[in-house]
């Protein structure tokens, strides 16, 4: 990152009323980071690392299964999501080679993103296209993401894609990036720093669109393991169900039509004819004195 101290470039996220948390966290969106060009690991190596990290994260006792449960419970009405945009995840191959916490957090965020998409595809019944944007991506990062089925975009294309049919996933980003991405239509689902976690110092600075979403959406904390900073100060926001949905039978916007057996007219006419003939026979057999 740049060493600039300009307040518009750096942010501090302050969590209120929580114990055992760092009092502030520097945003790690990679707006000023130049991609690494030397000593790159191969995309295949990164993919192998990711598989190991994802398996480890999925095996945790709380975070992964809880995230799946939350998506099923809170997003069951979001049937129109057709794309997912992940901004600012960072490089998967830090150049110091020793930043294990940073690498683990980056892979954990990728795993969480993919798991949310998997659960949402069960809800929508269709394919959700996935997009990544980060100026810090090296050539290996980009190829790795493309190899596992994602599309990598150049800045600011990803930021401009967010609309009402989007899962917008961005953990620990700069305030202006959140604000720019939320400038138009608010996304169906958002994962990132909540409005409350910015603290009073940034109440009116570059987060007015986050505030707009905060006032109209439902929210819960992102599930995480204790002492794990990968998702610190991170919340999930989702568009609430339209009023009256509880009165409709079925799931989502579908209406269940109850099946009623209706007697076929031809069969009915045939049945009436047989009864009429039987009545005639009985009358003919009757002797009138």
């Amino acid at each position: 990152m740049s060493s600039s101290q300009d307040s518009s470039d750096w942010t501090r996220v302050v969590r209120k009323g929580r114990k055992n948390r760092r009092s502030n966290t520097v945003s790690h969106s990679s707006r000023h980071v130049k991609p690494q060009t030397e000593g790159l690991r191969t995309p295949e190596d990164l993919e192998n690392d990711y598989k190991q990290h994802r398996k480890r994260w999925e095996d945790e006792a709380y975070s992964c299964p809880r995230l799946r449960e939350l998506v099923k419970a809170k997003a069951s009405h979001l049937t129109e999501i057709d794309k997912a945009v992940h901004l600012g995840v960072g490089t998967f191959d830090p150049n110091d080679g020793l930043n294990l916490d940073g690498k683990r957090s980056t892979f954990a965020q990728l795993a969480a993103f993919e798991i949310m998409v998997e659960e949402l595809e069960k809800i929508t019944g269709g394919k959700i296209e996935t997009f990544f944007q980060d100026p810090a991506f090296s050539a290996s990062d980009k190829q790795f993401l493309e190899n596992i089925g994602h599309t990598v975009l150049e800045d600011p294309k990803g930021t401009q894609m967010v609309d009402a049919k989007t899962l917008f996933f961005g953990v620990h980003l700069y305030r202006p990036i959140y604000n720019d991405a939320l400038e138009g239509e608010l996304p169906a689902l958002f994962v990132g720093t909540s409005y409350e976690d910015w603290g009073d110092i940034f109440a009116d600075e570059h987060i007015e669109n986050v505030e707009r979403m905060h006032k109209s959406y439902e929210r819960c904390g992102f599930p995480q393991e204790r002492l794990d900073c990968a998702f610190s100060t991170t919340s999930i926001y989702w568009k609430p169900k339209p009023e009256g949905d509880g009165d409709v039978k079925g799931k989502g916007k579908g209406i269940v039509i109850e099946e009623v057996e209706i007697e076929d007219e031809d069969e009915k006419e045939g049945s009436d004819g047989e009864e009429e003939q039987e009545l005639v026979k009985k009358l003919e057999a009757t002797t009138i004195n």
Side-chain angles (χ1 to χ4, degrees), residues 247-250 254-262:
D247 299 329
V248 179
K249 292 183 179 181
I255 299 176
V256 175
I257 301 176
E258 296 182 359
E259 293 184 359
V260 179
E261 290 187 2
I262 301 176

Side-chain angles (χ1 to χ4, degrees), residues 69-261:
E69 291 171 3
L70 280 172
V71 175
K72 291 177 184 177
K74 305 301 184 182
S76 60
H77 60 294
L78 302 177
T79 58
E80 296 185 351
I81 293 178
D82 59 12
K83 61 182 171 297
V85 178
H86 193 164
L87 303 181
V89 66
T91 179
F92 300 96
D93 185 19
N95 55 14
D96 58 15
L98 300 174
N99 187 4
L100 299 181
D101 284 341
K103 179 183 289 188
R104 183 176 56 81
S105 293
T106 299
F107 280 130
Q109 289 168 20
L110 172 58
F113 174 78
E114 289 193 330
I115 285 169
M116 290 189 72
V117 170
E118 290 171 8
E119 294 301 323
L120 287 170
E121 286 180 336
K122 297 175 185 178
I123 293 170
T124 64
K127 174 69 175 175
I128 295 177
E129 299 297 328
T130 52
F131 303 90
F132 282 74
Q133 174 189 301
D134 196 317
F137 284 155
S138 67
S140 288
D141 289 324
K142 294 178 180 179
Q143 190 60 56
F144 154 61
L145 288 170
E146 291 173 357
N147 287 350
I148 61 174
H150 305 296
T151 300
V152 178
L153 302 173
E154 297 300 323
D155 185 23
K157 291 183 179 179
T159 308
Q160 297 169 346
M161 290 185 68
V162 176
D163 61 21
K165 297 182 179 181
T166 305
L167 159 63
F168 171 25
F169 194 106
V171 178
H172 303 155
L173 301 182
Y174 292 102
R175 300 187 314 281
I177 296 177
Y178 283 131
N179 220 41
D180 290 347
L182 298 172
E183 185 175 9
E185 293 180 326
L186 293 178
L189 198 61
F190 166 75
V191 175
T193 304
S194 77
Y195 177 74
E196 292 179 342
D197 283 316
W198 289 105
D200 296 337
I201 189 172
F202 297 122
D204 299 315
E205 187 178 357
H206 300 304
I207 56 170
E208 59 268 18
N209 291 326
V210 179
E211 181 182 15
R212 180 164 60 99
M213 181 175 61
H214 182 75
K215 290 180 177 179
S216 59
Y217 277 37
E218 297 182 41
R219 176 178 68 92
C220 69
F222 196 96
Q224 59 181 310
E225 298 300 310
R226 188 177 181 182
L227 303 179
D228 184 359
C229 296
F231 299 101
S232 63
T233 69
T234 300
S235 291
I236 303 174
Y237 283 85
W238 62 92
K239 185 183 300 182
K241 293 181 181 180
E243 294 184 6
D245 267 12
D247 299 329
V248 179
K249 292 183 179 181
K251 297 180 179 180
K253 295 184 178 180
I255 299 176
V256 175
I257 301 176
E258 296 182 359
E259 293 184 359
V260 179
E261 290 187 2

Side-chain angles (χ1 to χ4, degrees), residues 2-41:
S2 167
S3 60
S4 170
Q5 299 300 312
D6 186 342
S7 63
S8 67
D9 293 338
W10 291 90
T11 63
R12 290 187 178 276
V13 180
V14 180
R15 178 174 287 274
K16 299 180 179 179
R18 299 289 183 91
K19 296 181 180 180
N20 299 323
R21 302 282 186 185
R22 294 183 298 175
S23 61
N24 54 69
T25 303
V26 177
S27 170
H28 68 249
S29 169
S30 308
R31 172 175 288 191
H32 301 293
V33 176
K34 292 183 179 180
Q36 186 178 346
T37 58
E38 298 180 356
L40 299 179
R41 302 181 66 213

Side-chain angles (χ1 to χ4, degrees), residues 273-286:
E274 291 176 0
E275 291 178 359
E276 185 177 351
Q277 291 178 7
E278 186 67 24
L279 179 59
V280 169
K281 290 180 180 180
K282 289 182 179 180
L283 290 173
E284 290 176 345
T286 301

